[in-house]
Amino acid sequence: MIEMETEFPKYFCMAPWVHMSIWQTGDAYPCCIYDWQTPIGNINQQGIYQTWNSQKMKQLRLEMLRNIPAQGCTKCFDYEKKGILSYRHKMNKDYKHHFDLVKSTDETGKVEKLNIAYFDVRFSNLCNMKCRSCGAHFSSKWGEDLYGSPKIIEIEYENLWEEIDLLLPNVEEIYFTGGESLFMPQHYKLLDKLIQKKLFPKLTYNSNASRLNLKNNHVADYWKYFTDIEFYISFDQIYDKAEFARHGQQWNIIYKNLMYIKNNLKHVKLRPNPTISVLNILDLANIVKFCFDEKISYKYQMNMNNLLITPEYLSCTILPKRLKQLAEERINFFIKELKSYDIEKNNLEKLKHSFLKVIEFMYSADNTHMIPIFKKEMQSLDKKRGENFVKTYPEMTELYD
């Protein structure tokens, strides 16, 4: 038995005791932002149960118990250095009630009880969009640019559903992402199982909102059984820029679906979740204003912590000084306008703080040396997709000079 204090040390995270993020390839991680190049195992070969106590997972637990910074956790540490809410913070806050399980860890790092309280199994990369900040790993549609046709990647573990059945009674929250989960038959199969078993955990989505049904399955018929649903809207822009940033997106359909959820599924909390990058930093204030004006943001809450790190050439840190200053001016101007909205005081302060942290992150590095790479990548996609970055973003023409 390993002893540790109940106050969480600097490098400790609850994730390896309550969670595994399982990707389309079968690769498993202690969480979704862990270094993708160093999985703790692969369920296609090991299954969920063996992966839970793989050698790498056990070693990770021991490092955290000894307050040693794990190499795969650098994203959280980088965020925290900048004063930005990290995934580690979220896990420790939301799952601290499982601390008794931490105390049960043996001297090898093994935890006998398989406790997937936070369920994140990404069944497939099936998706209808080719977002510029994404790639083939998470979008089958990206295969068109890379291979000439879509390429679907799916988990191949033959006993997947048998093991999931055993996990479900302990699940407190399910995170759906993809690809695009609302396109996947596995999404509806999992909800069917939960309803049949009379299990109703919290449902959290990261969705592009491009479709609310699959064949005869409509989300409204499923969501009526669940009382706690958070729907993070995965869009980075609005109007024509939205269709550029996420190729395949039809903005009028996204808007229509969001209005449907807002007006007909009132228990679903809509939470805009833009990936903040070169492609939207100058328009960030307008994007937030749109969400607030259209009332598609639950209690005026926005996830402003989703700052793009990779691919590096899309990070807002590559911008030259003039464009960074322009982005800062627009954001600061909107911060002053926030008082015109009926935002609860605590949320207002959080929102202001988040905006300021975005600005701080933008200035945290001078990566203008990446601009030639940005130009090369954008021009390559423009040619393949029949698009034009400069025409869509005329205010950023200097990135092509």
Side-chain angles (χ1 to χ4, degrees):
M1 183 82 67
I2 291 179
E3 298 291 331
M4 71 171 288
E5 298 176 357
T6 53
E7 287 296 323
F8 296 142
K10 181 177 181 180
Y11 299 115
F12 175 82
C13 179
M14 283 296 305
W17 286 268
V18 298
H19 180 43
M20 275 201 307
S21 180
I22 300 170
W23 289 14
Q24 302 87 343
T25 56
D27 284 337
Y29 303 86
C31 78
C32 64
I33 65 168
Y34 194 79
D35 178 18
W36 67 271
Q37 299 180 83
T38 57
I40 58 167
N42 186 293
I43 70 160
N44 289 338
Q45 286 83 48
Q46 300 169 290
I48 298 175
Y49 278 78
Q50 283 188 305
T51 305
W52 175 252
N53 278 313
S54 69
Q55 190 57 43
K56 289 183 179 180
M57 185 68 140
K58 291 190 292 184
Q59 181 61 34
L60 177 64
R61 292 188 185 117
L62 293 178
E63 289 177 358
M64 289 186 172
L65 290 169
R66 294 165 183 160
N67 201 29
I68 298 171
Q71 290 185 351
C73 299
T74 54
K75 283 187 179 179
C76 277
F77 303 148
D78 288 345
Y79 270 27
E80 291 168 14
K81 286 176 184 176
K82 296 177 175 67
I84 299 170
L85 184 68
S86 72
Y87 204 73
R88 188 182 75 89
H89 288 142
K90 170 181 165 53
M91 295 303 294
N92 287 346
K93 176 178 178 291
D94 291 351
Y95 295 98
K96 60 185 177 182
H97 56 285
H98 286 280
F99 192 75
D100 284 346
L101 200 62
V102 177
K103 295 179 180 179
S104 75
T105 310
D106 72 17
E107 64 279 359
T108 71
K110 182 179 180 180
V111 174
E112 194 65 40
K113 181 182 178 182
L114 177 61
N115 183 52
I116 308 294
Y118 181 31
F119 183 98
D120 174 10
V121 177
R122 306 176 184 200
F123 298 103
S124 166
N125 72 335
L126 185 64
C127 191
N128 62 328
M129 294 184 189
K130 296 185 288 187
C131 305
R132 294 222 171 194
S133 60
C134 194
H137 196 89
F138 294 112
S139 169
S140 57
K141 195 76 171 169
W142 254 86
E144 294 178 344
D145 291 336
L146 299 177
Y147 317 113
S149 62
K151 183 179 180 181
I152 298 176
I153 304 170
E154 289 188 327
I155 293 174
E156 298 175 350
Y157 180 47
E158 61 181 359
N159 295 323
L160 177 65
W161 287 102
E162 288 81 356
E163 292 200 9
I164 285 176
D165 276 336
L166 298 174
L167 294 175
L168 291 182
N170 293 321
V171 171
E172 298 171 18
E173 178 177 358
I174 297 179
Y175 177 59
F176 288 108
T177 187
E180 173 50 47
S181 57
L182 298 187
F183 273 54
M184 298 179 193
Q186 297 97 324
H187 162 257
Y188 299 93
K189 179 176 181 177
L190 182 56
L191 293 187
D192 277 329
K193 283 181 173 292
L194 291 168
I195 294 168
Q196 290 167 7
K197 295 174 181 291
K198 292 183 170 53
L199 298 171
F200 306 107
K202 176 180 178 179
L203 304 182
T204 302
Y205 289 83
N206 191 355
S207 170
N208 62 34
S210 60
R211 185 188 292 182
L212 301 180
N213 69 292
L214 179 65
K215 298 180 179 178
N216 294 325
N217 299 310
H218 195 283
V219 293
D221 298 326
Y222 290 85
W223 288 353
K224 65 184 179 182
Y225 292 98
F226 297 86
T227 58
D228 193 355
I229 301 175
E230 292 189 347
F231 193 84
Y232 285 87
I233 312 159
S234 187
F235 71 89
D236 304 332
Q237 271 287 1
I238 53 179
Y239 305 115
D240 59 327
K241 287 182 178 178
E243 297 184 354
F244 178 91
R246 293 179 173 258
H247 183 92
Q249 185 176 81
Q250 297 180 57
W251 177 249
N252 62 320
I253 292 177
I254 305 299
Y255 180 79
K256 177 182 176 182
N257 287 341
L258 293 177
M259 291 301 105
Y260 175 85
I261 295 174
K262 183 185 81 168
N263 295 325
N264 298 282
L265 303 171
K266 296 184 183 298
H267 68 299
V268 177
K269 302 179 182 71
L270 290 171
R271 300 188 187 277
N273 183 37
T275 300
I276 300 172
S277 72
V278 171
L279 299 177
N280 61 9
I281 188 68
L282 290 181
D283 302 305
L284 188 59
N286 280 337
I287 295 167
V288 178
K289 179 175 171 41
F290 171 85
C291 294
F292 288 0
D293 290 347
E294 295 290 338
K295 294 182 171 52
I296 55 171
S297 179
Y298 175 74
K299 293 186 176 180
Y300 298 101
Q301 295 175 5
M302 294 278 297
N303 180 21
M304 304 291 285
N305 295 315
N306 191 13
L307 293 155
L308 182 140
I309 306 295
T310 57
E312 293 178 345
Y313 62 83
L314 281 178
S315 169
C316 55
T317 59
I318 78 161
L319 292 177
K321 184 177 180 180
R322 188 191 75 83
L323 291 179
K324 285 183 177 180
Q325 289 175 336
L326 180 59
E328 180 183 11
E329 289 171 7
R330 291 178 176 180
I331 290 172
N332 283 330
F333 183 81
F334 184 67
I335 288 175
K336 295 177 182 177
E337 287 191 335
L338 288 174
K339 60 185 178 182
S340 65
Y341 295 96
D342 186 22
I343 305 176
E344 190 270 330
K345 183 178 179 180
N346 189 45
N347 286 340
L348 178 61
E349 292 306 312
K350 286 181 179 179
L351 188 59
K352 289 179 179 178
H353 177 77
S354 295
F355 268 125
L356 294 176
K357 285 301 176 181
V358 169
I359 294 172
E360 183 179 323
F361 174 81
M362 179 177 64
Y363 281 113
S364 66
D366 178 1
N367 289 323
T368 49
H369 65 280
M370 301 289 293
I371 291 177
I373 301 173
F374 169 85
K375 178 180 176 181
K376 178 183 176 182
E377 295 294 333
M378 291 298 101
Q379 288 180 328
S380 174
L381 290 179
D382 280 351
K383 184 176 180 180
K384 291 176 180 177
R385 300 178 179 180
E387 296 173 336
N388 189 314
F389 171 80
V390 173
K391 183 178 179 181
T392 309
Y393 291 84
E395 69 274 29
M396 303 180 82
T397 303
E398 64 189 83
L399 295 180
Y400 269 38
D401 292 341

